[in-house]
């Protein structure tokens, strides 16, 4: 594109999306060209690059074999095991072919699902790319989720194979995956026929179920010379499913296409992230989250960059570890989360001075609101551009962000900036659905068609896609469920979720899921879960529980015992990530006369704010209960 201003390119992308995206589509290799840029004949479903055939693995790996075969494609660093391994594009290609051959031998082919439940090791990425090569659909489940969460995803995706490891490591502690997998497969109605295990030698008691559980190293040996043909797929063919939480207890399978995603990511690498072939990118997320999919795996590889995959915490062996990696690998683009930076801020500031980070051009932060003190602190310390970007699992890439690759605009702290090309962003009044004025609070919505790379539907449930995202506001727009305001210069400020979703350290959790886990305990009659503001993690989970037997929580010992048991229930079902920071016992929960839980009032009280309009409250005594419980926590 000739040098255009931000405003011009954004306008073009909205007014003539076909023109804008046809040009961007040249960034990837199509085996067969598309006949139409966009088919929006069945709104809100959008199909991008119709009839074009392509392959994500080919574009991320094979395509670079001629130009950069010996350049590192992936660098795997584990500060947990001390392992550090670099894979050139040629080596990555070989490993992906071996993995694809292994999967194919298990019957995995085009359209078949594979669940990847893995720690942050290189084999997880080989498996993702191998699925893409075969036209199979991967669904990576975050390793921090426990058996119940894994089982519900298995039942929704119905995978042919589950790809896992014996264990992951975090903060020096092993997390054994295999017992969680075994438990999940017992719970699941549709378990996969085989489980492939990468045995890292961490779990000395690794149990294998004969006939079902297979050892990856052994299978790989059988396919060392494998060359697996790329499966060219139509642009709309699903590349993956990634489950995310919403307001119901059942996570949604965000379905991504292939061609649109490849084009969107390749474009973002230039316009947003400024990543050039040969540069090194270090994204500190996990492959279980959307940031990991887009900016550890596919984005940097599509751009011919070197991507770092890191297993460990930001503070081990000490808080200088990330900056040591930046220096050693000459990292140019880094991507992390505000919580991680707040964690570092609490550590010895000298850690930041110990390494030469002059290779770093920008630090991107996303996943949760970025507060000004944190942004200033890290940008002063590193002397780099800190770029806040706002997006969602659903969109796959940023909705609001600086776009230095188009035009560097002045930055405003506290704002992720202006709408990204392709996103027709509006702020609507929650009740009237009318656009709000500058500086007024509204719900952030996107006028469809959603640009390439965004979710094409909810896996197996088109109706849920329409109902969840497009049924507010006269069914005409995609709702982000985030509150925001826009200033007179067109900068947006995100003000928090408008639904019952909690954001803990940048990770999305559904209150309903946690409530269901807690309710499954025999001692619980009723429960309300809310997110409470937290200095470090953005929000933490707080639960308000009505015990079945009031006498059981009459004294501190009883309360502590039930609290412990409830924490363990959440750990076991959903994973420690969803564990409440605090459980409060009450005799009554505040509800409306029609029986709807007043979560927002509970949350306000827990944050020391005014509980708001209480005219619909059924029993005012319930609020007093919450107040008292907050004053006298379980212990
Ligand atoms: P997830 O799909 O898990 O990535 O969560 C997406 C949600 O995280 C968004 O809907 C926002 O509520 C929040 N979020 C993501 N990025 C930002 C950001 N830069 N500023 C404020 N909130 C954000």
């Amino acid at each position: 594109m000739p040098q255009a201003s931000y405003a011009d390119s954004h306008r073009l992308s909205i007014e003539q999306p076909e023109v804008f995206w046809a040009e961007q589509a040249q960034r990837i290799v199509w085996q067969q060209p598309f006949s139409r840029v966009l088919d929006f004949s069945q709104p809100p479903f959008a199909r991008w690059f119709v009839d074009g055939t392509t392959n994500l693995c080919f574009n991320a790996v094979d395509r670079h074999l001629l130009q950069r075969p010996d350049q590192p494609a992936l660098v795997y660093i584990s500060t947990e095991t001390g392992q550090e391994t670099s894979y050139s594009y040629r080596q990555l290609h070989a490993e992906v072919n071996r993995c694809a051959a292994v999967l194919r031998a298990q019957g995995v082919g085009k359209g078949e699902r594979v669940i990847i439940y893995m720690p942050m090791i290189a084999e997880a990425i080989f498996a993702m790319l191998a699925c893409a090569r075969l036209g199979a659909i991967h669904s990576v489940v975050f390793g921090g989720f426990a058996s119940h969460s894994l089982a519900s995803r298995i039942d929704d995706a119905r995978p042919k194979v589950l790809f896992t490891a014996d264990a992951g490591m975090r903060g020096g502690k092993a997390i054994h995956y295999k017992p969680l997998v075994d438990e999940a497969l017992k719970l699941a109605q549709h378990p996969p026929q085989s489980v492939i295990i990468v045995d890292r030698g961490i779990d000395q008691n690794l149990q294998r179920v004969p006939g079902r559980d297979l050892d990856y190293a052994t299978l790989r040996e059988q396919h060392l010379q494998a060359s697996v043909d790329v499966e060219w797929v139509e642009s709309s063919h699903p590349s993956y499913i990634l489950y995310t939480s919403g307001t119901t207890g059942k996570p949604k399978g965000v379905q991504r296409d292939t061609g649109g995603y490849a084009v969107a990511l390749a474009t973002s690498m230039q316009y947003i992230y400024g990543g050039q072939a040969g540069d090194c990118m270090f994204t500190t997320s996990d492959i279980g989250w959307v940031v990991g999919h887009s900016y550890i795996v596919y984005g940097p590889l599509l751009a011919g960059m070197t991507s770092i995959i890191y297993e460990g915490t930001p503070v081990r062996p000490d808080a200088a570890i990330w900056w040591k990696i930046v220096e050693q690998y000459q990292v140019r683009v880094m991507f992390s989360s505000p919580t991680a930076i707040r964690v570092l801020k609490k550590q010895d500031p000298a850690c930041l001075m110990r390494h030469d980070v002059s290779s770093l051009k920008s630090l991107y932060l996303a996943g949760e609101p970025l507060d000004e003190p944190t942004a200033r602190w890290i940008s002063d310390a590193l002397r780099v551009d800190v770029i806040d970007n706002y997006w969602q699992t659903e969109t796959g890439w940023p909705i609001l962000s600086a776009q230095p690759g188009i035009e560097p605009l002045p930055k405003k702290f506290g704002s992720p900036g202006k709408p990204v090309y392709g996103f027709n962003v509006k702020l609507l009044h929650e009740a009237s659905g009318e656009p709000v004025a500058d500086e007024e609070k509204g719900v952030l919505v996107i006028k469809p068609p959603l640009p390439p790379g965004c979710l094409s539907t909810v896996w197996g449930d088109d109706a849920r896609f329409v109902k969840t995202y497009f049924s507010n506001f006269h069914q005409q727009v995609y709702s982000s469920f985030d509150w925001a305001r826009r200033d007179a210069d067109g900068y947006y400020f995100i003000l928090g979720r408008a639904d019952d979703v909690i954001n803990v350290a940048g990770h999305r959790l559904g209150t309903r899921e946690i409530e269901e886990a807690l309710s499954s305990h025999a001692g619980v009659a009723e429960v309300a879960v809310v997110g409470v503001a937290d200095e470090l993690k953005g929000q933490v989970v707080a639960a308000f529980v009505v015990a079945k037997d009031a006498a059981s929580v009459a004294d501190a010992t009883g309360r502590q015992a039930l609290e412990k048991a409830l924490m363990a229930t959440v750990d076991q079902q959903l994973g420690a990530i969803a564990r409440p920071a605090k459980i409060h016992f009450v005799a009554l929960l505040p509800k409306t006369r029609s029986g709807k839980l007043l979560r927002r009032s509970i949350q306000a009280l827990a944050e020391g704010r005014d509980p708001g309009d209480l005219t619909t409250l059924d029993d005012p005594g319930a609020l007093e209960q919450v107040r008292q419980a907050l004053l006298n926590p379980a212990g």
Side-chain angles (χ1 to χ4, degrees), residues 358-432:
S358 56
S359 62
L360 202 58
K361 201 180 68 177
S362 351
L363 170 66
Y364 292 80
L365 298 174
E368 55 182 314
L370 173 62
D371 56 289
E372 182 167 345
T374 302
R376 278 194 194 279
W377 175 77
I378 192 70
S379 103
D380 290 349
L382 294 176
R383 290 172 215 272
V384 299
D385 234 3
V386 171
I387 300 183
D388 180 5
N389 40 138
Y390 160 81
W391 46 298
Q392 307 181 304
T393 304
E394 287 84 348
T395 64
W397 56 287
I399 305 167
L400 302 172
S401 177
Q403 294 142 74
I406 294 180
E407 184 191 0
L409 295 175
K411 208 168 50 187
K412 294 196 188 192
F413 280 106
S415 166
K418 298 188 179 190
V420 170
Y421 52 86
F423 288 97
N424 192 357
V425 177
K426 309 259 176 241
L427 295 183
L428 301 185
H429 188 274
E430 189 190 26
S432 72

